[in-house]
């Protein structure tokens, strides 16, 4: 297996119940790890301001009340009960929500949109387009193009903050865990021990990412489980021993008393309290990292009683959601509440603490078990940091699949567990930034201020996106969406204001990181779209290609030429430049478009769309290869083999569609021009229907009726496949020229035989990959900002990130690069 391409497009088999149980057991540590370690630093960050822990206990009880209701309303009600239901075929995160919105409304800025994409099995909608009612909000969003850009920028901001959280959470988690040494060391020893130990652990953590979480994932769940049970036991002990009446602090009136007494300092301390929900967004973003289908299968395969009750009432996603809710409500949530209550109970009886100790987690740990708890806390902090690191890798992979991030190397660390990835460049940058934050801040206060702003910003973006999902995807009342936005948005806005006021005390770090990342993502996406529009404007017609041979004395050389382009129709400008300067191209010519669609996965049977460019005798084809934003791209060998097989299958099926077998008169068949604009789905399950391109060059949208898509697209009637085609699943294995001369599945057309024989000979002669090598420059008279962003910024990124030939793993001996200058 090539680790960079993983398992390719091989169909994923259903795992045994032992495998699914193991994966779900591992997922407990990854999904809930980040959220479980927040008690290490919440109270310490909260009381880092000018708040004094007085004898009245109003401060500590007020903080406990805030923590309890924040945990109840945000992680429990908002995320576990509502947001997790908005998964995109098992994938979570801001880009998953954006993908859902783009499928239900024409608000996507991605190029290459086709009506055929809506026929994908994973392109599921809550309601069929003909059933769902048109919404005024949907019409308003689709009408205003600026709102499309604003929506994408909002998603980018959330993504940038998740990446910023990937820098800050490991730093504050490991630092807070190691800070337990302050109770056993002097002040001088503490200063010279905690920082180096933290940095060593961080280096070790990021160095292990290359090996993949599946190798040590079996340790994650027992560590987190042990940590939660340990924290619960210590909390229960402190409640019984020090203050059994601490439960009274759960009364919301303590929050009001807290704010009245502490005033501005109390409001600023909310920036520390919000850290109690750190990990909620990572819990949502990590859904697809550990085989979501495995978690789905547990109630079906293992808990037979639950399965017998639920299988007739709930879908697999709903059963999985019940499992996640059960794990959170019965284990994670009670453990966190007991941990916070135990700390508050201890602090309510200890008011004159040594200044060097501060108000932290370890002060409430009995001295007899302090060292074992310290070791367990460090291990738990490593697991919690792994959760946000995995989420960062996942969301960057989604971003680059949707043309919102420069191309980086993605290594698939497991050939059995889909979704476990490692990005070397991002990993080492995160490590360097984590160490810089740790060495630069050296205290929990500033790290907490920085982490808190990143966390609450992502949550606010999720609230905004979820409000749109409720209206457009779930087809609920706009009043319900508005109530959701106002209820949760107002709380998050309060916490956001408390974080922004600490700009000079550490909150500037996530803002600076986000601005840099946002500029990179926006410039890359904007120029990518502009380059596509340039190609659309400068593409040539099919007539030009057919007439070119007579004008220039075109020569057809042996072999297969794969011309890579982003266009789904027409002939790209880079190929016209190539044949104008060198009037020769290969005997079999294929225009290949590798595109991403707004779904997490595309089934192998639906991956290829194949059609002709010109008449059959020209041996020119178009192949559109579709990937979801979570799919593993194939390596070049398997891709080349499957492409040739798909072309051969298309040639045979195309012959059947010429009405000779159906007994229809020739005049009733589609015209040649119509057939040139048609594409056929080719895969392990051959042709389901003949699909028109359905692409709108003006990006004005696609047909909203599924019935219209199955009958007419752009005036082309779509014919259903004859039953014989479905029964005879013709596959094409290129073995030798003699094999190709045999009768292809009963198709006796001599022209088809010649075309298949020509394809075989071209395959044996070799394959050339023709790619464009682009350089972007601005038009004369452009603004200074545009010159810096496009002429300097984008060109710098394109030179230093992975090129298309590296991404596609094209052999250097088979590569032909055509220079292109884009004037934008």
């Amino acid at each position: 297996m090539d680790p960079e391409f993983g398992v390719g497009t091989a169909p994923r088999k259903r795992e045994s119940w032992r495998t699914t149980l193991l994966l779900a057991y591992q997922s407990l540590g990854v999904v809930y790890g980040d959220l479980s370690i927040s008690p290490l630093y919440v109270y310490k960050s909260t009381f880092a301001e000018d708040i004094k822990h007085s004898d009245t206990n109003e401060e500590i009880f007020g903080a406990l009340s805030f923590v309890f209701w924040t945990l109840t309303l945000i992680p429990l009600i908002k995320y576990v009960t509502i947001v997790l239901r908005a998964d995109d075929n098992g994938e979570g995160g801001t880009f998953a929500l954006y993908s859902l919105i783009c499928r239900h409304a024409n608000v996507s800025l991605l190029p290459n949109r086709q009506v055929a994409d809506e026929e994908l099995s994973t392109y599921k909608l809550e309601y069929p387009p003909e059933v769902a009612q048109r919404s005024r909000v949907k019409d308003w969003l689709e009408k205003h193009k600026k709102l499309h850009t604003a929506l994408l920028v909002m998603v980018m901001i959330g993504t940038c903050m998740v990446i910023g959280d990937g820098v800050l959470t490991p730093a504050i988690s490991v630092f807070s865990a190691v800070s337990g040494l302050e109770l056993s060391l002097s002040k001088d020893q503490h200063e010279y021990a905690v920082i180096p130990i933290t940095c060593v652990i961080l280096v070790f953590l990021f160095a292990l990412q290359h090996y993949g979480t599946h190798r040590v994932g079996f340790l994650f769940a027992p560590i987190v489980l042990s940590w939660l049970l340990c924290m619960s036991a210590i909390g229960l002990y402190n409640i019984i021993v020090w203050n059994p009446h601490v439960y009274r602090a759960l009364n919301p009136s303590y929050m009001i008393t807290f704010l009245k007494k502490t005033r501005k300092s109390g409001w600023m301390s909310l920036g520390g309290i919000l850290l109690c929900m750190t990990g909620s967004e990572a819990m949502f973003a990590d859904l697809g990292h550990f085989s979501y289908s495995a978690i789905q299968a547990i109630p079906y395969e293992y808990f037979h009683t639950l399965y017998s009750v639920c299988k007739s009432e709930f879908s697999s996603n709903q059963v999985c959601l019940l499992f996640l809710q059960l794990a959170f409500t019965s284990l994670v949530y009670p453990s966190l509440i007991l941990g916070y209550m135990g700390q508050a109970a201890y602090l309510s009886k200890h008011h004159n603490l040594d200044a060097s100790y501060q108000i932290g987690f370890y002060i409430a740990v009995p001295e007899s078990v302090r060292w074992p708890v310290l070791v367990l806390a460090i291990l738990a902090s490593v697991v919690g940091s792994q959760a946000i690191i995995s989420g960062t890798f996942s969301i960057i992979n989604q971003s680059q699949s949707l043309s919102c991030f420069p191309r980086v190397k993605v290594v698939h660390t497991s050939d059995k567990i889909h979704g476990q990835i490692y990005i070397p460049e991002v990993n080492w940058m995160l490590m360097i930034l984590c160490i810089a934050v740790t060495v630069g801040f050296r205290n929990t206060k500033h790290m907490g201020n920085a982490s808190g702003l990143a966390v609450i910003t992502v949550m606010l973006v999720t609230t905004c996106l979820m409000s749109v999902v409720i209206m457009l995807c779930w087809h609920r009342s706009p009043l319900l969406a508005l109530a959701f936005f106002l209820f949760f948005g107002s709380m998050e806005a309060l916490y956001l204001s408390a974080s922004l006021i600490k700009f000079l005390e550490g909150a500037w770090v996530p803002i600076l990181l986000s601005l840099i990342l946002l500029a990179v993502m926006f410039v890359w996406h904007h120029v990518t779209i502009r380059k596509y529009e340039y190609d659309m404007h400068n593409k040539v017609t099919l007539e030009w290609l057919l007439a070119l041979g007579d004008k220039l004395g075109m020569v057809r050389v042996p072999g297969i030429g794969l011309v890579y382009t982003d266009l789904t129709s027409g002939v790209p400008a880079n190929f016209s430049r190539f044949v104008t300067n060198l009037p020769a191209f290969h005997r079999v010519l294929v225009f290949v478009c590798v595109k991403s669609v707004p779904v997490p996965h595309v089934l192998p049977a639906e991956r290829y769309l194949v059609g002709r460019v010109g008449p059959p005798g020209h041996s020119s084809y178009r192949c559109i290869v579709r990937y979801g934003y979570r799919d593993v791209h194939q390596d070049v060998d398997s891709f080349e083999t499957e492409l040739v097989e798909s072309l051969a299958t298309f040639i045979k099926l195309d012959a059947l569609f010429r009405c000779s077998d159906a007994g229809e008169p020739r005049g009733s068949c589609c015209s040649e021009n119509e057939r040139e604009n048609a594409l056929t789905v080719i895969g392990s399950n051959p042709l389901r229907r003949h699909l028109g391109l359905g692409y709108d060059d003006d990006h004005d949208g696609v047909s909203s009726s599924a019935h219209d898509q199955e009958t007419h697209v752009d005036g082309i009637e779509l014919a259903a496949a004859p039953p014989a085609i479905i029964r005879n699943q013709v596959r094409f294995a290129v073995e030798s020229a003699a094999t190709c001369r045999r009768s292809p599945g009963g198709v006796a057309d001599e022209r088809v035989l010649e075309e298949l024989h020509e394809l075989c000979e071209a395959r044996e002669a070799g394959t050339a990959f023709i790619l464009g090598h682009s350089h972007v420059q601005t038009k004369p008279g452009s603004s200074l900002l545009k010159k810096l962003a496009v002429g300097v910024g984008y060109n710098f990124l394109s030179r230093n990130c992975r090129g298309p030939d590296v991404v596609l793993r094209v052999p250097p001996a088979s590569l032909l690069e055509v220079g292109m200058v884009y004037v934008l």
Side-chain angles (χ1 to χ4, degrees), residues 108-123:
S108 175
L109 296 178
L110 296 176
N112 300 342
R113 298 196 307 271
Q114 296 174 276
V115 173
D117 297 338
E118 300 185 17
E119 297 291 324
L120 293 170
S121 301
T122 52
Y123 202 101

Side-chain angles (χ1 to χ4, degrees), residues 228-239:
L228 290 173
L229 294 177
C230 173
M231 185 170 54
S232 302
I234 294 174
L236 191 61
Y237 169 83
N238 286 327
I239 293 173

Side-chain angles (χ1 to χ4, degrees), residues 113 145 536 695-701:
R113 298 196 307 271
K145 299 296 183 182
M536 286 291 298
Y695 177 78
D696 187 352
D697 290 348
D698 296 329
H699 298 275
D700 288 333

Side-chain angles (χ1 to χ4, degrees), residues 569-771:
S569 62
V571 178
N574 62 348
F575 182 73
S576 65
R577 172 172 296 190
F578 172 74
V579 296
T580 301
N581 291 277
L582 182 63
F585 56 90
H586 296 82
R587 190 72 190 102
V588 175
L589 189 65
V590 185
F591 295 98
V592 180
C593 173
V594 180
K595 57 178 286 189
S596 294
V597 290
V599 295
H601 304 288
V602 175
L603 298 179
E606 302 173 325
R607 189 169 309 283
Y608 294 93
L609 287 175
V610 183
R612 291 191 184 277
V613 179
H618 199 263
S619 298
S620 297
Y621 309 92
R622 184 179 310 282
C623 180
I624 299 176
V625 189
R626 301 178 292 185
Y627 289 100
Y629 57 79
R630 289 278 290 176
D631 274 331
V632 181
H633 287 225
Q634 298 162 276
D635 62 83
V636 66
D637 294 329
S638 62
F639 170 73
E640 184 180 342
T641 301
E642 287 196 14
L643 178 61
V644 174
E645 291 178 352
S646 299
L647 290 176
T649 305
F650 168 76
I651 292 171
K652 299 173 184 180
L653 295 177
D654 188 59
L656 295 180
F657 268 107
R658 294 181 181 278
C659 308
S660 58
D661 291 347
E664 299 180 9
R666 288 284 176 179
S668 63
C669 297
C670 301
S671 66
E672 290 297 327
N673 289 334
E674 287 177 331
R675 297 190 63 79
E676 287 172 4
N677 291 327
L679 294 175
T680 302
V681 179
I682 301 293
S684 57
N685 179 21
L687 179 66
R688 295 189 305 162
R689 60 177 62 90
H690 220 49
L691 295 172
L693 280 174
Y695 177 78
D696 187 352
D697 290 348
D698 296 329
H699 298 275
D700 288 333
V702 295
S703 174
S704 60
S705 172
H707 177 72
D708 292 341
Q709 295 168 9
E710 295 181 1
T711 55
H712 292 80
V713 177
D714 292 344
I716 302 174
E717 186 173 358
L718 306 180
I725 298 178
I726 302 301
R727 290 195 301 268
N728 300 326
Q729 295 190 3
V730 182
R731 295 296 292 170
F732 180 75
V734 180
E735 297 178 358
S736 64
T739 305
C740 299
R741 296 188 183 98
R742 299 173 185 172
S743 178
V747 180
D749 191 344
E750 291 296 330
R751 185 169 56 183
V752 175
L753 285 173
E754 293 176 1
E755 196 169 359
L756 288 174
H757 178 62
E758 185 179 76
L759 179 62
C760 264
E761 290 183 338
R763 175 69 173 87
E764 293 175 351
T767 303
F769 299 81
I770 304 174
L771 280 71

Side-chain angles (χ1 to χ4, degrees), residues 456-617:
I456 199 61
T457 304
V458 178
M459 290 185 173
L460 192 56
V461 169
T462 300
T463 298
C464 297
L465 295 176
M466 272 302 304
S467 301
V468 181
V469 168
I470 291 173
M471 290 185 292
L472 299 186
C473 306
W474 294 353
H475 301 284
R476 304 300 183 186
S477 170
L479 293 178
L480 181 62
L482 180 62
F484 175 87
F485 175 76
L486 292 178
F487 181 74
F488 293 106
S490 59
M491 289 187 294
E492 292 162 354
L494 176 64
Y495 284 121
L496 179 64
S497 65
S499 297
L500 287 174
I501 202 67
K502 302 175 182 178
F503 178 81
L504 298 178
E505 299 178 9
W508 59 270
V509 172
I511 294 178
L512 179 61
L513 288 176
S514 297
L515 288 177
I516 296 174
L517 290 171
L518 181 62
V520 170
M521 294 176 69
F522 187 80
V523 168
W524 185 267
H525 179 78
H526 175 73
V527 177
T528 300
I529 298 299
R530 293 295 303 275
K531 286 173 62 179
Y532 178 81
E533 294 173 351
Y534 183 92
D535 286 336
M536 286 291 298
H537 181 73
N538 291 277
K539 69 179 181 179
V540 297
T541 62
L542 298 176
E543 291 76 9
W544 179 91
L545 178 63
L546 296 176
L548 193 63
D550 298 332
K551 294 181 179 180
L552 298 179
M554 194 68 63
V555 177
R556 303 294 291 268
V557 298
I560 299 177
L562 302 182
V563 182
Y564 282 84
T565 175
D566 291 330
L567 301 179
T568 57
S569 62
V571 178
N574 62 348
F575 182 73
S576 65
R577 172 172 296 190
F578 172 74
V579 296
T580 301
N581 291 277
L582 182 63
F585 56 90
H586 296 82
R587 190 72 190 102
V588 175
L589 189 65
V590 185
F591 295 98
V592 180
C593 173
V594 180
K595 57 178 286 189
S596 294
V597 290
V599 295
H601 304 288
V602 175
L603 298 179
E606 302 173 325
R607 189 169 309 283
Y608 294 93
L609 287 175
V610 183
R612 291 191 184 277
V613 179

Side-chain angles (χ1 to χ4, degrees), residues 1 68 82 95 101 180 190 202 234 285 296 298 372 395 433 489 496 521 528 552 556 587 664 680 687 698 776 781 813:
M1 180 197 75
F68 172 78
I82 301 176
F95 267 101
I101 295 172
H190 167 256
L202 288 174
I234 294 174
Q296 292 176 358
I298 288 180
I395 202 166
L433 291 174
L496 179 64
M521 294 176 69
T528 300
L552 298 179
R556 303 294 291 268
R587 190 72 190 102
E664 299 180 9
T680 302
L687 179 66
D698 296 329
V776 178

